[in-house]
Amino acid sequence: MSVHDHHASTAHDGRDTLARTLAMATGAVFLLVGIAGFIPGITTDYDTMEFAGHESRAELLGIFQVSVLHNIVHLLFGVAGLALARKATTAIAYLVAGGIIYLVLWIYGLLVGHGSDANFVPLNDADNWLHLVLAIGMVGMGLVGQRALRGDVGSQTPM
């Protein structure tokens, strides 16, 4: 049986590697960010951290407002990325769905006042704009991974 009989679902042709690598790297970054959010010094005003809510003054790298809940979400996103990176199709789904979730979070962050009880994650302006970048980046990586899996990368003709 040749590699072509399996099409893009096998690792033999290497087309699944890009999506899996992108999801694994993204998951690893989320995991590190989640851990860093629990380390005093890396997270400023650590002693003010709340479980959730906008009262938390703790900021990752002194920039991004975090809470215990916010850090746990990062840890879960990281674990999900590493787990779903085992197959190209699930890696692509993780990147695209994760990007869409961050797009929704960006919109939510723009609509909800920072002092509002609805800002339970919590989110500040830096978080909001990072979420937009994450949304674009994750969806983009998912689409690039999908194209690589289909074998479209490098074989495109100019429009």
Side-chain angles (χ1 to χ4, degrees):
M1 208 193 278
S2 74
V3 171
H4 300 291
D5 294 336
H6 291 308
H7 196 52
S9 63
T10 66
H12 301 299
D13 59 15
R15 285 191 254 166
D16 69 337
T17 308
L18 181 61
R20 293 180 62 228
T21 302
L22 291 171
M24 195 174 303
T26 302
V29 169
F30 274 114
L31 206 53
L32 290 172
V33 168
I35 292 167
F38 287 116
I39 301 175
I42 295 177
T43 297
T44 58
D45 295 321
Y46 186 84
D47 55 337
T48 70
M49 189 182 306
E50 301 282 333
F51 177 76
H54 61 88
E55 297 86 9
S56 183
R57 304 265 177 275
E59 291 184 331
L60 182 62
L61 304 175
I63 302 169
F64 305 103
Q65 189 176 13
V66 293
S67 65
V68 173
L69 176 65
H70 203 148
N71 291 334
I72 290 171
V73 169
H74 290 152
L75 291 171
L76 292 174
F77 247 85
V79 169
L82 295 177
L84 295 171
R86 292 162 73 189
K87 284 179 48 190
T89 52
T90 56
I92 292 163
Y94 165 75
L95 291 166
V96 173
I100 291 168
I101 289 168
Y102 273 101
L103 185 63
V104 169
L105 259 177
W106 172 67
I107 294 167
Y108 181 79
L110 292 179
L111 297 177
V112 172
H114 295 294
S116 164
D117 286 339
N119 186 17
F120 65 94
V121 174
L123 304 168
N124 62 10
D125 285 335
D127 288 313
N128 290 342
W129 295 108
L130 178 62
H131 291 159
L132 176 62
V133 171
L134 282 169
I136 294 167
M138 288 180 76
V139 170
M141 287 188 292
L143 296 176
V144 166
Q146 178 67 38
R147 285 187 64 191
L149 185 62
R150 286 198 326 244
D152 293 345
V153 174
S155 65
Q156 294 297 305
T157 55
M159 294 179 125

